[in-house]
Amino acid sequence: MVALAYVVVATGTVTGTVSALDDQRVTGTEAAKPEVTGSPTPDQVSATPTVTKSPSPVRSSPRTSSPAPTRTKESPRPPTVSARLYLYPGSEVLDWVRAHPGDPRTPLIESRIADEPAAVWFTDPTPATIASRVRAVTSKSAAQDRVPVLVAYAIPDRDCGGASQGGAPDLAAYDAWIDSFATGLGRGEVVVVLEPDSIAQSDCLSGSERTARFASLARAGRVLKDADPKARVYYDAGHSGWNPADKQADLLRQAGAASPASSDGIFSNVSNFRTTADEIAYDRTVLADLGGPAGLGAVIDTSRNGNGAPPDGQWCDPAGRGIGRAPTLGTGEARIDAYLWVKLPGESDGCKGAPGTFSPSYAYDLASS
């Protein structure tokens, strides 16, 4: 996927996430957050994609470069959610920082990575436990008056059989999982990144399978927004080097992303390295082609795009990359709702360590660049 976008990440995005290895960790209040990454274990909740993907350079999909972004004269729309993002206390990077106070790399990793809020990934497709695990995050973020970023990552045939393969056994089970996920949201502000690579990386499915998946994704958005009117749900747009904008917009439309009943817009660059400028231009073009209400916006994963993508297209823990813009819900850019760290900087795509695991050497390299 997000090798594509995150560790979600192998076929599509490889996104890294800090994962909570069990429910106790996830519920802890004082803890410490498709290229190709490994799939999460069944009980993982990650603070960032534990196993996600970001569009990977190994994709067969054509890549097109996006036009340079142009600043619009319209005023950026005011933020519709609070500007305070939730820092998940159970991330691997925070665990590492606590365990290595004397390591010379710790101060830089702590200040530039561990202190920044990142997404929490939910990858275990078991419906029975997902509501409590989501609630453990949303209740604590609400108590702090902060906004959590949650990644739902359990679609069947996830990652098209790549490194992050897995997910629910079928769409009926997935629908039940989403229903339970939604009950854990509460009534507070929350950002949901819905299934990285599920749309951009749907070409491994037959036509009927793709239609069924898209219907289930449209339903998922409606269920999430019905359960929590303050939830903001974003759909998979891949990234600027993946599908052409018009093709991606057509796929998104089929999946319900143009309907305000299901969607608040799109997300891009999960676990990838495309520059923020390229993603802004691409996302605006996708949104224009998508249609729908003018209020639909985009969120961009800026976790490790500070130096852009490697010229050779390498996606697996490439050297010379750097962390990007700090996470924020106030970008000052028209139709760009947020810059988020969906994949945690320092989580491996599978080359500097097991997919989705934290690599202090990789984190230090990213923080130093």
Side-chain angles (χ1 to χ4, degrees), residues 223-237:
V223 168
L224 295 168
K225 292 180 70 62
D226 284 347
D228 181 1
K230 292 183 179 180
R232 294 178 63 81
V233 180
Y234 294 90
Y235 281 70
D236 169 38

Side-chain angles (χ1 to χ4, degrees), residues 110-132:
E110 181 175 21
S111 64
R112 299 211 64 198
I113 297 177
D115 287 347
E116 296 289 353
V120 182
W121 289 69
F122 296 87
T123 60
D124 174 6
T126 307
T129 59
I130 186 62
S132 62

Side-chain angles (χ1 to χ4, degrees), residues 21-73:
L21 298 181
D22 53 37
D23 290 348
Q24 182 176 7
R25 248 187 100 182
V26 175
T27 56
T29 54
E30 65 288 324
K33 144 189 131 43
E35 268 52 26
V36 177
T37 61
S39 326
T41 57
D43 58 351
Q44 275 180 320
V45 173
S46 343
T48 343
T50 7
V51 175
T52 22
K53 313 167 180 190
S54 9
S56 53
V58 288
R59 303 186 61 64
S60 57
S61 308
R63 295 170 188 252
T64 59
S65 52
S66 313
T70 55
R71 301 276 296 192
T72 64
K73 293 186 178 179

Side-chain angles (χ1 to χ4, degrees), residues 7 9 14-19 21 25 36-41 44 46 48-52 91-93 96 304 317 343-363 366:
V7 178
V9 180
V14 175
T15 57
T17 67
V18 172
S19 43
L21 298 181
R25 248 187 100 182
V36 177
T37 61
S39 326
T41 57
Q44 275 180 320
S46 343
T48 343
T50 7
V51 175
T52 22
S91 72
E92 282 191 77
V93 63
W96 185 87
R304 49 184 195 169
D317 302 333
K343 177 179 175 101
L344 182 72
E347 287 194 357
S348 176
D349 298 328
C351 292
K352 291 185 178 293
T357 59
F358 180 71
S359 166
S361 62
Y362 188 31
L366 290 167

